[in-house]
Amino acid sequence: AAAARTAWRPLLLCAAAAASGALCTPYRLGPYLVSFQHWQSRSDMAAHIQEWHPMAFGNFFHWPFWLILALFVPALARGWGRARRSAPWGLALAGLILGFNSLLHARLAAYFATVALPLVFSLTGEVPVTRALKRAAAVAAVIVTAFFVWTLPARSWGGFFDSRYIPQRAAAFLEASRPQVEGLRLYNEWEWGGYLAWRFSWYKVFWDGRYLFHDRLAQAGAASREGASAWQKWMEKQELQGALMHNRAELFPTTKLYKDKTTKGFLRPWYLQYMPRQLWALVYWDEKTLFFMRRDAAPADWLAAHEYRYFLPRDEAAFAEALRLGEIPAAALAAEKLRHQ
């Protein structure tokens, strides 16, 4: 017992030095407070941030985690059964904590793998190297290599950002419109903030992946779920003058009243409710993004030259009906199509 206490003393001293070391930085208790804030808001982050979602069998990028977990559990059982005193139980405890939390939040899987794999090799190091074991290792190597090759097309090799998930073309429009948008309070989707801040030195992101924006996620999510009216009130509260948003394939039912008093139903895009035309003008769109400007925040001549009034995304049914009835001026429509091309 005395020897065990002696062995723990340097570890406790190291832990105390590490814990107090943060107090010697300009942030003082900041790192601990941020960790506590993450723990408090873990359910909100899990609801709104993809990497905080639970591990999923349906995501093939998560499959290596399940393989490592399948190796970790029996290795841990073997260590408990045969080498209780010599096993690295500190590492095992870390693996258990990180493994459990990885099941809840996928972002922790990388930390679990860093701890679990050394532990697996440590606890299985005394296994006799038989011919069957060599064959099993060879088969495993082939499977891992095949998995890596299979996932190559899904990987991004273009640099810091994957072009499939960032608004590259919309960012080019923002750059061209810098005199009109610089200095305005602009909304951007949470996951685009890091890219926009990286690309533009002058752009003030509404939010990005940093912890100080986490409380806004729940507020914006609640406003979006409650409906168009709640969303508009939230936008007003944030004093937003522009918005770079997802071009989502969400529709809502509307009814058109004809001159003969008959009616017909149409499904129209969500933004017509959430971003009403009397307040917001759609000045850019592509298959991924929509960019709106408040009418009272943009120069009138610039707005007239860039607004889409007729050629709108995901509004094909109502657009075709308006064309049939001659409700869209041909010259204005042709100009919008040409500008969009």
Side-chain angles (χ1 to χ4, degrees), residues 52 84 90 121 151 165 185 195 204 207:
W52 282 85
R84 296 185 187 181
F121 288 119
T151 59
Y165 306 116
R185 188 169 173 83
Y195 167 71
K204 295 181 179 179
W207 54 12

Side-chain angles (χ1 to χ4, degrees), residues 204-216:
K204 295 181 179 179
V205 298
F206 180 74
W207 54 12
D208 57 26
R210 289 172 288 178
Y211 74 92
L212 64 160
F213 298 119
H214 285 167
D215 60 334
R216 285 186 181 174

